[in-house]
Amino acid sequence: MGIKLIKIGVVYFLIGIFFGLYMSAAHVFTLTTVHVHLNMLGWMSLSLVGIFYYLFPQLAKTKSAKIHFWMHNIGLPIMMVCIALAIYGVGGEVFFPIATIGGVLTVIGICFFGYNVLKHLKVEE
């Protein structure tokens, strides 16, 4: 699971960087929030979690890890797409609550990661 998360993180990194390059070249910074979340919750967070799971494979075998994986990887894209659509006013106000749902899924998933580390990462003796 660790390598899979690192690879997903790299995909977010590429998307975030090219997104930032586009915004910079076009001088349009309307979607800065999306750019930042792609890089922080996508690239940075998923890559760090992947490194944790690679270094401590016992963490990746837990039910908490699987719940985190799916909640983070379902919630984050929902949140990013819906924030972008809401900012551009597509569909009126409907995308703000959907973005919030995506954000809540992501945060709950991250809480499962935190629980997993605090509960299952032990000092080697």
Side-chain angles (χ1 to χ4, degrees), residues 2 5 8 13 16 18 35 40 43 49 54 61 63 65 76 86-87 92-94 98 108 117 119:
L5 284 166
I8 293 168
F13 184 42
F18 281 109
H35 167 70
M40 293 306 293
W43 160 234
V49 169
Y54 183 79
K61 296 174 184 168
K63 185 173 183 175
L76 185 57
I87 288 171
E93 299 287 314
V94 71
I98 299 170
I108 291 171
V117 171
K119 173 80 174 165

Side-chain angles (χ1 to χ4, degrees), residues 79-96:
M79 181 173 60
M80 295 300 87
V81 169
C82 289
I83 287 173
L85 292 171
I87 288 171
Y88 279 125
V90 176
E93 299 287 314
V94 71
F95 288 108
F96 282 115

Side-chain angles (χ1 to χ4, degrees), residues 12-112:
Y12 276 112
F13 184 42
L14 292 168
I15 293 168
I17 291 302
F18 281 109
F19 205 77
L21 179 63
Y22 163 76
M23 290 190 318
S24 178
H27 300 280
V28 176
F29 302 100
T30 309
L31 296 177
T32 301
T33 302
V34 176
H35 167 70
V36 170
H37 281 85
L38 284 169
N39 284 308
M40 293 306 293
L41 286 173
W43 160 234
M44 295 298 294
S45 297
L46 290 176
S47 295
L48 277 172
V49 169
I51 291 168
F52 262 83
Y53 289 162
Y54 183 79
L55 292 175
F56 307 103
Q58 72 274 19
L59 293 177
K61 296 174 184 168
T62 65
K63 185 173 183 175
S64 299
K66 290 168 185 49
I67 292 170
H68 166 245
F69 178 90
W70 287 108
M71 291 186 85
H72 199 134
N73 283 294
I74 291 170
L76 185 57
I78 290 171
M79 181 173 60
M80 295 300 87
V81 169
C82 289
I83 287 173
L85 292 171
I87 288 171
Y88 279 125
V90 176
E93 299 287 314
V94 71
F95 288 108
F96 282 115
I98 299 170
T100 301
I101 291 167
V104 168
L105 286 174
T106 305
V107 169
I108 291 171
I110 292 169
C111 289
F112 273 96

